Amino acid sequence: MRSGPRSLSVFPVVRSASDPGCGYAFDMRLPRIYNRLSSATAVPQMKKRRMFRALYTSICLCTIFICLEPVDAHPRAEAGLLDLRSVDLSDEGIIRLDGEWEFHWGKLLEPPFPPVSGVPGGVSSIRVPRPWNEAMLDDRFLPGKGHATFRLRVLTRDNSRVLGIKLNQVLMAGKVFIDDSPVGTIGLVGTGPAGMVSQRRVGLFFFRPAHPSFNITIQVSNYHYIKGGIKGSIELGYAESLQSSRETLLAFDLFLLGSLLIIALYHFESLQ
């Protein structure tokens, strides 16, 4: 009997002609080796699948958390007035300026101007947020294209800190005034398609009001899209609160982008 380590037969073993079992015979160790190799390959694949599932679940949970609409128990604007004197902005953080805003259809008014009160050809108030073509004037819906001025008077406790105002979705150009001073623009407002420049972005502007009570005036024009007006909520808060919220959303966008890149690489590797 030959001593020493036995050779590993991967290919079929050929027997001699004198051997009663002449022909091809496969090494019985081959299935066990194959199973070991398969198991060694399957473990990393299983880990990748678990990581992919965990990443996918994290993306879904983060998206749901970001997109959930918080319950808004703050006062709402009524007839162009929002009273926030009972609200502590330090505790509440960011306030949505939803409700009825004073509304001047077909006019780009610069403050100061007198309040509207049943002016012919204009709408006394409009609900924000929503496109203005969902509002009615003289028993007819307003067209999507046009220009208008929105105004809201806000009453707060004090004016000792810098505030910020965030316009989430203005269609398709806007200019913001606090009292009589312009604080920011989105695109370029105009009274016709040749005089305006559309821009679709979030506007975040900071200001320090001269008095605890102040007016917010927003000129809006749209001649390039089927809908016009203020479609997204306008938010008010201390500058640091709005800046922190902005950074959180930016971090989430970067996380989402990186996660999608990892998923794409995983699927690309699976196809190899």
Side-chain angles (χ1 to χ4, degrees):
M1 179 178 296
R2 187 174 56 182
S3 61
R6 294 182 297 176
S7 60
L8 178 63
S9 300
V10 178
F11 297 98
V13 178
V14 181
R15 297 174 177 172
S16 63
S18 60
D19 194 329
C22 182
Y24 288 96
F26 292 95
D27 194 332
M28 296 303 294
R29 289 168 294 178
L30 186 58
R32 286 181 293 175
I33 297 170
Y34 177 77
N35 291 336
R36 290 176 183 175
L37 292 174
S38 300
S39 300
T41 306
V43 170
Q45 292 294 334
M46 291 178 64
K47 290 183 178 179
K48 288 182 179 180
R49 290 175 183 173
R50 289 174 182 172
M51 291 176 60
F52 171 75
R53 290 172 183 170
L55 182 61
Y56 182 77
T57 303
S58 300
I59 293 174
C60 292
L61 292 176
C62 289
T63 303
I64 292 172
F65 176 76
I66 292 293
C67 295
L68 278 177
E69 294 281 342
V71 177
D72 192 356
H74 305 129
R76 295 178 64 86
E78 296 182 3
L81 177 66
L82 179 59
D83 191 347
L84 297 178
R85 288 175 294 184
S86 61
V87 177
D88 188 351
L89 291 178
S90 299
D91 296 334
E92 299 296 335
I94 299 173
I95 306 296
R96 291 183 176 180
L97 307 182
D98 295 349
E100 295 180 349
W101 285 55
E102 183 181 319
F103 184 67
H104 301 255
W105 172 248
K107 299 176 182 178
L108 294 180
L109 301 176
E110 291 197 5
F113 56 89
V116 63
S117 179
V119 176
V123 180
S124 59
S125 64
I126 188 172
R127 182 170 57 84
V128 173
R130 72 169 177 177
W132 60 40
N133 45 293
E134 295 180 5
M136 299 188 69
L137 173 63
D138 298 331
D139 298 326
R140 297 178 62 181
F141 284 103
L142 293 173
K145 297 180 179 180
H147 56 276
T149 302
F150 299 75
R151 184 167 64 175
L152 180 68
R153 183 158 184 81
V154 181
L155 310 180
T156 62
R157 290 184 177 182
D158 62 78
N159 60 322
S160 60
R161 297 174 61 179
V162 176
L163 295 175
I165 183 170
K166 181 180 179 183
L167 283 67
N168 288 295
Q169 196 170 6
V170 172
L171 305 174
M172 294 291 297
K175 185 175 182 179
V176 184
F177 297 82
I178 300 298
D179 287 332
D180 301 341
S181 304
V183 296
T185 60
I186 299 174
L188 179 63
V189 295
T191 57
M196 71 158 292
V197 177
S198 297
Q199 189 177 31
R200 195 159 190 171
R201 70 176 180 88
V202 175
L204 180 58
F205 312 113
F206 301 102
F207 62 94
R208 186 191 294 274
H211 306 282
S213 302
F214 54 89
N215 291 326
I216 300 174
T217 304
I218 304 177
Q219 298 174 346
V220 179
S221 64
N222 170 55
Y223 289 94
H224 301 151
Y225 189 59
I226 58 174
K227 294 182 179 181
I230 301 175
K231 189 178 179 181
S233 291
I234 296 175
E235 297 175 340
L236 179 75
Y238 288 132
E240 52 269 25
S241 298
L242 286 169
Q243 193 65 34
S244 176
S245 174
R246 182 180 184 180
E247 292 173 357
T248 300
L249 292 175
L250 178 60
F252 173 74
D253 290 340
L254 293 176
F255 166 75
L256 185 61
L257 179 62
S259 301
L260 293 176
L261 180 60
I262 293 173
I263 293 173
L265 292 174
Y266 168 80
H267 283 289
F268 178 77
E269 186 177 311
S270 300
L271 295 175
Q272 301 300 316

